[in-house]
Amino acid sequence: MISEQKKILNSFYIPVFFVMILWIVKIAENVTGTVLTEYGVFPRQIDGLIGVLTMPFIHANYQHLISNSIPLIILGSSLIYFYRQSAMKVFLLIYFLHSFWLWLGGRESYHIGASGLVYGLASFLFFSGIIRRHIQLMAISMLVVFLYGGMIWGIFPLFIGVSWEAHLAGSLAGVLCAWVYRKEGLQKPVYEWEDDDTIPEEVYMEVVRDEQTEEGNTDNANPGEKNKPPVAGMPVIVQYNFKPTEANKPPAENDKD
């Protein structure tokens, strides 16, 4: 129990540290009276490429920063806790991929903020659970929908002053990561009866063909053995009685008059 609590606690360290850096940058910006908007992504401009690295650290105001801080901590810690093996790779890929896509296809304006990261993490957690079909991970998918399902409207150009392109790019990056890293970490358990390629050794089948006699069909199986109750630990024998149709009837010379 203690180790599990420690694991949960450890999953918060990196997200909290990352959010602290965001706050330090914003506070330093206000204290010094500087404006760092020019360090955001400006699509298709060489100077705007710097934003691929710095965009998530720049926020318009404290309300903008607060709206991103809480989701980053919740979604980031969930990523580390449930996907420890691939968490850092997923985070870095979403970080750089969504901002670069934004540079390629966004509007000609400065795009700032970590909301693209938030959308990327939420998208990854949702689609990864669906793709893996793991009950625990699917529960996280449903929790993401419950907490942040309203974010779906953010990927459409419905709100003035909102970089919906960053939201859309982050969401697509999350889907891509969910597919690329689908085989790392927790997987859906495969039960014995779901494996079509193998047959349990303790179960086998025996086909018994009925012989044609003057009196009709007779069963070769010993009646006493057939009605004998199964014994625990013994293999199960499944017998099928084959009754031939006219097409499968033995040749005429084998029939008795």
Side-chain angles (χ1 to χ4, degrees), residues 3-14 77 81:
S3 60
E4 187 65 21
Q5 292 176 348
K6 185 177 180 180
K7 182 179 177 182
I8 295 174
L9 185 62
N10 289 340
S11 66
F12 281 90
Y13 288 155
I14 295 178
S77 59
Y81 181 81

Side-chain angles (χ1 to χ4, degrees), residues 93-104:
L93 189 58
I94 292 176
Y95 187 105
F96 291 107
L97 198 57
H98 95 277
S99 54
F100 181 70
W101 285 349
L102 177 61
W103 182 83
L104 289 176

Side-chain angles (χ1 to χ4, degrees), residues 46-62:
I46 299 300
D47 294 341
L49 272 173
I50 187 64
V52 173
L53 294 174
T54 58
M55 179 185 72
F57 296 95
I58 315 301
H59 290 82
N61 48 51
Y62 285 108

Side-chain angles (χ1 to χ4, degrees), residues 121-133:
L121 295 176
S123 176
F124 173 82
L125 291 172
F126 174 76
F127 285 101
S128 182
I130 300 301
I131 292 173
R132 297 172 189 242
R133 295 187 297 168

